[in-house]
Amino acid sequence: MNKREFLNKLNEYMSYELPQSIVAEKLDFYADYIDGEVSSGRRITDVIDELGDPQLIARSIIDAAKSGPDGIPGTDDDLDFGENIASNGRARNGYDSGSVYGGNTAGQGSTFTEDGASADDRREQRAGNNGIHVYQFGCLTAMLIMIAVFAVFGAIMHILSPILAPICIVFLIVWLLNRTTGGRW
């Protein structure tokens, strides 16, 4: 099995149950790993044989992705990517029609070249990484609101300080006199 066949099979098996963004990320990882090992002098067939069966690798990736944040399968926080796949305009099984994978006519939308590159997957992955993430946007918004509140509070205190300072001093003197005279003042 060569690199293209390995990545095409891995893509096919993962695309049944995972969104394209995760599939693209994992395919890029394996393509980079294979390239790195080959560039260090290993034969591509040895590297692919060492990796093992793409179907087993795909099953491991799917199970890990679906097991949720706690990493334990079968708990309440497990993820279901079925709607995510369907919402991307794909059928529930994750396939688009008309793509070619090693002679098959059912696939996920792009074909790997001999070197394992997939322009569609890389372009989709880059598009998902652009912009500010929702979490970062929420933190930024909260910080800006806090700064605005402190600025308004500071401006009010600055305006009222000529009035509040004498009033506070009078209350302090009255409180001290009541305390030293036992409340008879």
Side-chain angles (χ1 to χ4, degrees):
M1 179 181 315
N2 63 28
K3 179 180 173 183
R4 182 186 62 184
E5 291 168 342
F6 177 84
L7 292 174
N8 283 338
K9 286 185 180 208
L10 189 60
N11 182 32
E12 179 181 346
Y13 295 132
M14 287 191 299
S15 295
Y16 279 115
E17 299 183 46
L18 295 177
Q20 186 59 31
S21 60
I22 293 176
V23 172
E25 176 185 332
K26 300 304 178 185
L27 291 173
D28 281 345
F29 170 81
Y30 280 98
D32 291 344
Y33 174 78
I34 292 169
D35 289 341
E37 292 296 309
V38 169
S39 68
S40 69
R42 295 186 62 197
R43 292 182 341 157
I44 194 163
T45 54
D46 294 339
V47 175
I48 291 173
D49 288 343
E50 181 183 282
L51 286 172
D53 184 16
Q55 187 172 11
L56 293 176
I57 295 171
R59 177 53 35 205
S60 298
I61 292 170
I62 291 166
D63 290 346
K66 286 188 169 189
S67 66
D70 65 358
I72 303 170
T75 57
D76 291 337
D77 67 345
D78 291 355
L79 305 175
D80 178 19
F81 295 113
E83 291 180 18
N84 191 347
I85 293 170
S87 69
N88 287 336
R90 301 181 191 335
R92 177 130 175 101
N93 66 3
Y95 281 105
D96 291 335
S97 59
S99 298
V100 177
Y101 284 91
N104 298 332
T105 57
Q108 185 58 32
S110 63
T111 302
F112 288 95
T113 60
E114 284 296 326
D115 68 351
S118 171
D120 292 339
D121 290 341
R122 293 183 195 273
R123 189 170 36 253
E124 185 172 328
Q125 184 180 18
R126 280 193 304 271
N129 291 334
N130 291 338
I132 299 175
H133 296 288
V134 174
Y135 176 77
Q136 292 170 333
F137 181 74
C139 289
L140 180 64
T141 303
M143 288 175 39
L144 290 174
I145 290 172
M146 287 176 43
I147 290 171
V149 167
F150 283 121
V152 168
F153 180 75
I156 291 171
M157 292 305 294
H158 179 72
I159 292 170
L160 295 178
S161 62
I163 300 167
L164 288 178
I167 292 173
C168 289
I169 291 173
V170 169
F171 277 117
L172 179 64
I173 292 171
V174 170
W175 179 74
L176 286 173
L177 287 174
N178 276 336
R179 188 170 173 168
T180 57
T181 62
R184 289 178 280 169
W185 187 77

